[in-house]
Amino acid sequence: MAGSGDLPESMAGIVEDFQSLSERDRLQLLLDFSRELPPLPPELVAHREAMEPVPECQSPVFLLVEVDPASRVRLWFDAPAEAPTTRGFAGILREGLDGLSAPEVLALPDDVPERLGIGSAVSPLRLRGMAGMLGRIKRQVRTKQAVATDR
């Protein structure tokens, strides 16, 4: 399993936490991230159509990425409470990526979901869901960064 030396500090800490635990405890940590996913701000609750669906996920998940003028990335997720694995993945990505610079997010290796070491405890389909979220985040960052530099 790859280490965390090529990850931003916030994501490296999360990967290291997962890697230091037993498989059972990794699942508990995933549930903790699920519970810690913040609710959508009221302006997004009223405008969910502004959020992108993530069809790679088995549960209905929506995300929104914003890149501010300083190139800082902000992330919001909408995932149902009855989908704790999916919410946990969203929570990991939010905690690990929110507030990073656009180049830091774009440089994140695509194998981060596998580095968590929970592949034997969750289905490959679920891990693909997290990879789908990460891919969509990077695509939105590239698009919004391009728009910001065109202004």
PDB file of all heavy atoms in Angstrom, residues 43-68:
ATOM      1  N   GLU A  43     -28.406  28.156   1.520  1.00  0.00           N
ATOM      2  CA  GLU A  43     -28.488  28.600   0.122  1.00  0.00           C
ATOM      3  C   GLU A  43     -28.332  27.427  -0.853  1.00  0.00           C
ATOM      4  O   GLU A  43     -28.851  27.475  -1.962  1.00  0.00           O
ATOM      5  CB  GLU A  43     -27.475  29.708  -0.188  1.00  0.00           C
ATOM      6  CG  GLU A  43     -26.019  29.333  -0.021  1.00  0.00           C
ATOM      7  CD  GLU A  43     -25.477  29.490   1.403  1.00  0.00           C
ATOM      8  OE1 GLU A  43     -26.252  29.691   2.347  1.00  0.00           O
ATOM      9  OE2 GLU A  43     -24.252  29.399   1.551  1.00  0.00           O
ATOM     10  N   LEU A  44     -27.654  26.357  -0.444  1.00  0.00           N
ATOM     11  CA  LEU A  44     -27.560  25.176  -1.298  1.00  0.00           C
ATOM     12  C   LEU A  44     -28.764  24.260  -1.154  1.00  0.00           C
ATOM     13  O   LEU A  44     -29.183  23.630  -2.120  1.00  0.00           O
ATOM     14  CB  LEU A  44     -26.283  24.382  -1.002  1.00  0.00           C
ATOM     15  CG  LEU A  44     -25.047  24.848  -1.733  1.00  0.00           C
ATOM     16  CD1 LEU A  44     -23.847  23.975  -1.384  1.00  0.00           C
ATOM     17  CD2 LEU A  44     -25.250  24.861  -3.223  1.00  0.00           C
ATOM     18  N   VAL A  45     -29.306  24.190   0.041  1.00  0.00           N
ATOM     19  CA  VAL A  45     -30.514  23.376   0.246  1.00  0.00           C
ATOM     20  C   VAL A  45     -31.619  23.856  -0.684  1.00  0.00           C
ATOM     21  O   VAL A  45     -32.333  23.062  -1.290  1.00  0.00           O
ATOM     22  CB  VAL A  45     -30.978  23.428   1.721  1.00  0.00           C
ATOM     23  CG1 VAL A  45     -32.336  22.771   1.897  1.00  0.00           C
ATOM     24  CG2 VAL A  45     -29.945  22.744   2.624  1.00  0.00           C
ATOM     25  N   ALA A  46     -31.701  25.175  -0.857  1.00  0.00           N
ATOM     26  CA  ALA A  46     -32.733  25.761  -1.712  1.00  0.00           C
ATOM     27  C   ALA A  46     -32.390  25.640  -3.199  1.00  0.00           C
ATOM     28  O   ALA A  46     -33.255  25.864  -4.046  1.00  0.00           O
ATOM     29  CB  ALA A  46     -32.933  27.224  -1.346  1.00  0.00           C
ATOM     30  N   HIS A  47     -31.142  25.290  -3.508  1.00  0.00           N
ATOM     31  CA  HIS A  47     -30.716  25.225  -4.919  1.00  0.00           C
ATOM     32  C   HIS A  47     -29.891  23.966  -5.178  1.00  0.00           C
ATOM     33  O   HIS A  47     -28.777  24.039  -5.686  1.00  0.00           O
ATOM     34  CB  HIS A  47     -29.914  26.481  -5.297  1.00  0.00           C
ATOM     35  CG  HIS A  47     -30.733  27.716  -5.257  1.00  0.00           C
ATOM     36  ND1 HIS A  47     -31.657  28.018  -6.230  1.00  0.00           N
ATOM     37  CD2 HIS A  47     -30.792  28.704  -4.342  1.00  0.00           C
ATOM     38  CE1 HIS A  47     -32.246  29.157  -5.902  1.00  0.00           C
ATOM     39  NE2 HIS A  47     -31.755  29.585  -4.771  1.00  0.00           N
ATOM     40  N   ARG A  48     -30.472  22.837  -4.856  1.00  0.00           N
ATOM     41  CA  ARG A  48     -29.751  21.567  -5.069  1.00  0.00           C
ATOM     42  C   ARG A  48     -29.440  21.327  -6.551  1.00  0.00           C
ATOM     43  O   ARG A  48     -28.522  20.593  -6.870  1.00  0.00           O
ATOM     44  CB  ARG A  48     -30.574  20.404  -4.518  1.00  0.00           C
ATOM     45  CG  ARG A  48     -30.389  20.219  -3.036  1.00  0.00           C
ATOM     46  CD  ARG A  48     -30.839  18.831  -2.605  1.00  0.00           C
ATOM     47  NE  ARG A  48     -30.449  18.574  -1.233  1.00  0.00           N
ATOM     48  CZ  ARG A  48     -31.213  18.794  -0.190  1.00  0.00           C
ATOM     49  NH1 ARG A  48     -32.422  19.289  -0.346  1.00  0.00           N
ATOM     50  NH2 ARG A  48     -30.788  18.517   1.023  1.00  0.00           N
ATOM     51  N   GLU A  49     -30.177  21.975  -7.432  1.00  0.00           N
ATOM     52  CA  GLU A  49     -29.923  21.786  -8.867  1.00  0.00           C
ATOM     53  C   GLU A  49     -28.537  22.305  -9.255  1.00  0.00           C
ATOM     54  O   GLU A  49     -28.012  21.944 -10.310  1.00  0.00           O
ATOM     55  CB  GLU A  49     -31.012  22.459  -9.723  1.00  0.00           C
ATOM     56  CG  GLU A  49     -30.952  23.973  -9.773  1.00  0.00           C
ATOM     57  CD  GLU A  49     -31.533  24.696  -8.560  1.00  0.00           C
ATOM     58  OE1 GLU A  49     -32.073  24.038  -7.653  1.00  0.00           O
ATOM     59  OE2 GLU A  49     -31.446  25.940  -8.523  1.00  0.00           O
ATOM     60  N   ALA A  50     -27.925  23.126  -8.402  1.00  0.00           N
ATOM     61  CA  ALA A  50     -26.569  23.621  -8.667  1.00  0.00           C
ATOM     62  C   ALA A  50     -25.517  22.545  -8.375  1.00  0.00           C
ATOM     63  O   ALA A  50     -24.357  22.708  -8.740  1.00  0.00           O
ATOM     64  CB  ALA A  50     -26.292  24.851  -7.809  1.00  0.00           C
ATOM     65  N   MET A  51     -25.939  21.460  -7.745  1.00  0.00           N
ATOM     66  CA  MET A  51     -25.011  20.396  -7.375  1.00  0.00           C
ATOM     67  C   MET A  51     -24.974  19.314  -8.454  1.00  0.00           C
ATOM     68  O   MET A  51     -25.966  19.067  -9.117  1.00  0.00           O
ATOM     69  CB  MET A  51     -25.415  19.799  -6.027  1.00  0.00           C
ATOM     70  CG  MET A  51     -25.429  20.836  -4.916  1.00  0.00           C
ATOM     71  SD  MET A  51     -25.795  20.120  -3.320  1.00  0.00           S
ATOM     72  CE  MET A  51     -24.167  19.470  -2.905  1.00  0.00           C
ATOM     73  N   GLU A  52     -23.806  18.699  -8.603  1.00  0.00           N
ATOM     74  CA  GLU A  52     -23.619  17.654  -9.606  1.00  0.00           C
ATOM     75  C   GLU A  52     -23.884  16.279  -8.997  1.00  0.00           C
ATOM     76  O   GLU A  52     -23.323  15.947  -7.950  1.00  0.00           O
ATOM     77  CB  GLU A  52     -22.184  17.696 -10.146  1.00  0.00           C
ATOM     78  CG  GLU A  52     -21.899  16.619 -11.163  1.00  0.00           C
ATOM     79  CD  GLU A  52     -20.479  16.658 -11.708  1.00  0.00           C
ATOM     80  OE1 GLU A  52     -19.661  17.486 -11.260  1.00  0.00           O
ATOM     81  OE2 GLU A  52     -20.198  15.841 -12.591  1.00  0.00           O
ATOM     82  N   PRO A  53     -24.709  15.449  -9.633  1.00  0.00           N
ATOM     83  CA  PRO A  53     -24.893  14.082  -9.146  1.00  0.00           C
ATOM     84  C   PRO A  53     -23.627  13.264  -9.398  1.00  0.00           C
ATOM     85  O   PRO A  53     -22.859  13.558 -10.323  1.00  0.00           O
ATOM     86  CB  PRO A  53     -26.067  13.550  -9.966  1.00  0.00           C
ATOM     87  CG  PRO A  53     -26.128  14.405 -11.175  1.00  0.00           C
ATOM     88  CD  PRO A  53     -25.512  15.730 -10.815  1.00  0.00           C
ATOM     89  N   VAL A  54     -23.418  12.253  -8.555  1.00  0.00           N
ATOM     90  CA  VAL A  54     -22.278  11.344  -8.717  1.00  0.00           C
ATOM     91  C   VAL A  54     -22.850   9.955  -8.997  1.00  0.00           C
ATOM     92  O   VAL A  54     -23.094   9.176  -8.080  1.00  0.00           O
ATOM     93  CB  VAL A  54     -21.381  11.337  -7.462  1.00  0.00           C
ATOM     94  CG1 VAL A  54     -20.152  10.449  -7.684  1.00  0.00           C
ATOM     95  CG2 VAL A  54     -20.952  12.744  -7.084  1.00  0.00           C
ATOM     96  N   PRO A  55     -23.101   9.638 -10.269  1.00  0.00           N
ATOM     97  CA  PRO A  55     -23.751   8.370 -10.598  1.00  0.00           C
ATOM     98  C   PRO A  55     -22.895   7.134 -10.293  1.00  0.00           C
ATOM     99  O   PRO A  55     -23.431   6.032 -10.204  1.00  0.00           O
ATOM    100  CB  PRO A  55     -24.053   8.476 -12.092  1.00  0.00           C
ATOM    101  CG  PRO A  55     -23.169   9.546 -12.599  1.00  0.00           C
ATOM    102  CD  PRO A  55     -22.877  10.460 -11.451  1.00  0.00           C
ATOM    103  N   GLU A  56     -21.581   7.314 -10.082  1.00  0.00           N
ATOM    104  CA  GLU A  56     -20.731   6.177  -9.723  1.00  0.00           C
ATOM    105  C   GLU A  56     -21.072   5.629  -8.339  1.00  0.00           C
ATOM    106  O   GLU A  56     -20.715   4.500  -8.012  1.00  0.00           O
ATOM    107  CB  GLU A  56     -19.240   6.568  -9.737  1.00  0.00           C
ATOM    108  CG  GLU A  56     -18.701   6.934 -11.101  1.00  0.00           C
ATOM    109  CD  GLU A  56     -18.854   8.412 -11.436  1.00  0.00           C
ATOM    110  OE1 GLU A  56     -19.603   9.135 -10.744  1.00  0.00           O
ATOM    111  OE2 GLU A  56     -18.234   8.852 -12.418  1.00  0.00           O
ATOM    112  N   CYS A  57     -21.735   6.445  -7.526  1.00  0.00           N
ATOM    113  CA  CYS A  57     -22.108   6.018  -6.173  1.00  0.00           C
ATOM    114  C   CYS A  57     -23.417   5.240  -6.218  1.00  0.00           C
ATOM    115  O   CYS A  57     -24.307   5.562  -7.000  1.00  0.00           O
ATOM    116  CB  CYS A  57     -22.270   7.226  -5.251  1.00  0.00           C
ATOM    117  SG  CYS A  57     -20.710   8.051  -4.889  1.00  0.00           S
ATOM    118  N   GLN A  58     -23.522   4.237  -5.338  1.00  0.00           N
ATOM    119  CA  GLN A  58     -24.741   3.439  -5.271  1.00  0.00           C
ATOM    120  C   GLN A  58     -25.886   4.231  -4.650  1.00  0.00           C
ATOM    121  O   GLN A  58     -27.039   3.937  -4.886  1.00  0.00           O
ATOM    122  CB  GLN A  58     -24.485   2.165  -4.468  1.00  0.00           C
ATOM    123  CG  GLN A  58     -23.571   1.197  -5.176  1.00  0.00           C
ATOM    124  CD  GLN A  58     -23.330  -0.049  -4.353  1.00  0.00           C
ATOM    125  OE1 GLN A  58     -22.781   0.018  -3.268  1.00  0.00           O
ATOM    126  NE2 GLN A  58     -23.760  -1.167  -4.882  1.00  0.00           N
ATOM    127  N   SER A  59     -25.558   5.221  -3.850  1.00  0.00           N
ATOM    128  CA  SER A  59     -26.560   6.067  -3.195  1.00  0.00           C
ATOM    129  C   SER A  59     -26.610   7.415  -3.906  1.00  0.00           C
ATOM    130  O   SER A  59     -25.633   7.817  -4.538  1.00  0.00           O
ATOM    131  CB  SER A  59     -26.178   6.290  -1.737  1.00  0.00           C
ATOM    132  OG  SER A  59     -26.023   5.046  -1.090  1.00  0.00           O
ATOM    133  N   PRO A  60     -27.725   8.133  -3.786  1.00  0.00           N
ATOM    134  CA  PRO A  60     -27.813   9.443  -4.442  1.00  0.00           C
ATOM    135  C   PRO A  60     -26.926  10.480  -3.749  1.00  0.00           C
ATOM    136  O   PRO A  60     -27.234  10.948  -2.662  1.00  0.00           O
ATOM    137  CB  PRO A  60     -29.298   9.804  -4.318  1.00  0.00           C
ATOM    138  CG  PRO A  60     -29.796   8.996  -3.167  1.00  0.00           C
ATOM    139  CD  PRO A  60     -28.946   7.767  -3.086  1.00  0.00           C
ATOM    140  N   VAL A  61     -25.814  10.787  -4.367  1.00  0.00           N
ATOM    141  CA  VAL A  61     -24.849  11.739  -3.818  1.00  0.00           C
ATOM    142  C   VAL A  61     -24.713  12.897  -4.800  1.00  0.00           C
ATOM    143  O   VAL A  61     -24.683  12.687  -6.009  1.00  0.00           O
ATOM    144  CB  VAL A  61     -23.471  11.072  -3.621  1.00  0.00           C
ATOM    145  CG1 VAL A  61     -22.443  12.083  -3.143  1.00  0.00           C
ATOM    146  CG2 VAL A  61     -23.572   9.923  -2.653  1.00  0.00           C
ATOM    147  N   PHE A  62     -24.630  14.091  -4.235  1.00  0.00           N
ATOM    148  CA  PHE A  62     -24.464  15.300  -5.038  1.00  0.00           C
ATOM    149  C   PHE A  62     -23.305  16.087  -4.447  1.00  0.00           C
ATOM    150  O   PHE A  62     -23.098  16.080  -3.230  1.00  0.00           O
ATOM    151  CB  PHE A  62     -25.739  16.145  -5.016  1.00  0.00           C
ATOM    152  CG  PHE A  62     -26.914  15.426  -5.611  1.00  0.00           C
ATOM    153  CD1 PHE A  62     -27.668  14.558  -4.844  1.00  0.00           C
ATOM    154  CD2 PHE A  62     -27.238  15.596  -6.945  1.00  0.00           C
ATOM    155  CE1 PHE A  62     -28.739  13.863  -5.395  1.00  0.00           C
ATOM    156  CE2 PHE A  62     -28.308  14.911  -7.507  1.00  0.00           C
ATOM    157  CZ  PHE A  62     -29.056  14.049  -6.732  1.00  0.00           C
ATOM    158  N   LEU A  63     -22.554  16.772  -5.310  1.00  0.00           N
ATOM    159  CA  LEU A  63     -21.450  17.573  -4.810  1.00  0.00           C
ATOM    160  C   LEU A  63     -21.389  18.900  -5.536  1.00  0.00           C
ATOM    161  O   LEU A  63     -21.890  19.044  -6.651  1.00  0.00           O
ATOM    162  CB  LEU A  63     -20.127  16.820  -4.921  1.00  0.00           C
ATOM    163  CG  LEU A  63     -19.531  16.543  -6.292  1.00  0.00           C
ATOM    164  CD1 LEU A  63     -18.614  17.673  -6.731  1.00  0.00           C
ATOM    165  CD2 LEU A  63     -18.729  15.262  -6.237  1.00  0.00           C
ATOM    166  N   LEU A  64     -20.782  19.849  -4.857  1.00  0.00           N
ATOM    167  CA  LEU A  64     -20.540  21.166  -5.442  1.00  0.00           C
ATOM    168  C   LEU A  64     -19.130  21.576  -5.058  1.00  0.00           C
ATOM    169  O   LEU A  64     -18.735  21.453  -3.895  1.00  0.00           O
ATOM    170  CB  LEU A  64     -21.540  22.203  -4.928  1.00  0.00           C
ATOM    171  CG  LEU A  64     -21.317  23.620  -5.469  1.00  0.00           C
ATOM    172  CD1 LEU A  64     -21.612  23.695  -6.966  1.00  0.00           C
ATOM    173  CD2 LEU A  64     -22.158  24.623  -4.726  1.00  0.00           C
ATOM    174  N   VAL A  65     -18.395  22.028  -6.045  1.00  0.00           N
ATOM    175  CA  VAL A  65     -17.034  22.508  -5.843  1.00  0.00           C
ATOM    176  C   VAL A  65     -17.009  23.989  -6.200  1.00  0.00           C
ATOM    177  O   VAL A  65     -17.544  24.386  -7.237  1.00  0.00           O
ATOM    178  CB  VAL A  65     -16.045  21.745  -6.751  1.00  0.00           C
ATOM    179  CG1 VAL A  65     -14.632  22.284  -6.580  1.00  0.00           C
ATOM    180  CG2 VAL A  65     -16.095  20.250  -6.479  1.00  0.00           C
ATOM    181  N   GLU A  66     -16.405  24.780  -5.348  1.00  0.00           N
ATOM    182  CA  GLU A  66     -16.178  26.194  -5.653  1.00  0.00           C
ATOM    183  C   GLU A  66     -14.693  26.465  -5.545  1.00  0.00           C
ATOM    184  O   GLU A  66     -14.019  25.887  -4.684  1.00  0.00           O
ATOM    185  CB  GLU A  66     -16.957  27.088  -4.688  1.00  0.00           C
ATOM    186  CG  GLU A  66     -18.457  27.008  -4.891  1.00  0.00           C
ATOM    187  CD  GLU A  66     -19.233  27.940  -3.977  1.00  0.00           C
ATOM    188  OE1 GLU A  66     -18.624  28.567  -3.085  1.00  0.00           O
ATOM    189  OE2 GLU A  66     -20.444  28.029  -4.167  1.00  0.00           O
ATOM    190  N   VAL A  67     -14.178  27.307  -6.418  1.00  0.00           N
ATOM    191  CA  VAL A  67     -12.791  27.742  -6.359  1.00  0.00           C
ATOM    192  C   VAL A  67     -12.832  29.257  -6.206  1.00  0.00           C
ATOM    193  O   VAL A  67     -13.341  29.957  -7.079  1.00  0.00           O
ATOM    194  CB  VAL A  67     -12.011  27.327  -7.624  1.00  0.00           C
ATOM    195  CG1 VAL A  67     -10.560  27.814  -7.539  1.00  0.00           C
ATOM    196  CG2 VAL A  67     -12.060  25.811  -7.813  1.00  0.00           C
ATOM    197  N   ASP A  68     -12.320  29.756  -5.078  1.00  0.00           N
ATOM    198  CA  ASP A  68     -12.398  31.194  -4.829  1.00  0.00           C
ATOM    199  C   ASP A  68     -11.287  31.935  -5.581  1.00  0.00           C
ATOM    200  O   ASP A  68     -10.417  31.299  -6.192  1.00  0.00           O
ATOM    201  CB  ASP A  68     -12.408  31.470  -3.320  1.00  0.00           C
ATOM    202  CG  ASP A  68     -11.078  31.212  -2.635  1.00  0.00           C
ATOM    203  OD1 ASP A  68     -10.025  31.138  -3.314  1.00  0.00           O
ATOM    204  OD2 ASP A  68     -11.080  31.095  -1.397  1.00  0.00           O
TER     205      ASP A  68
END
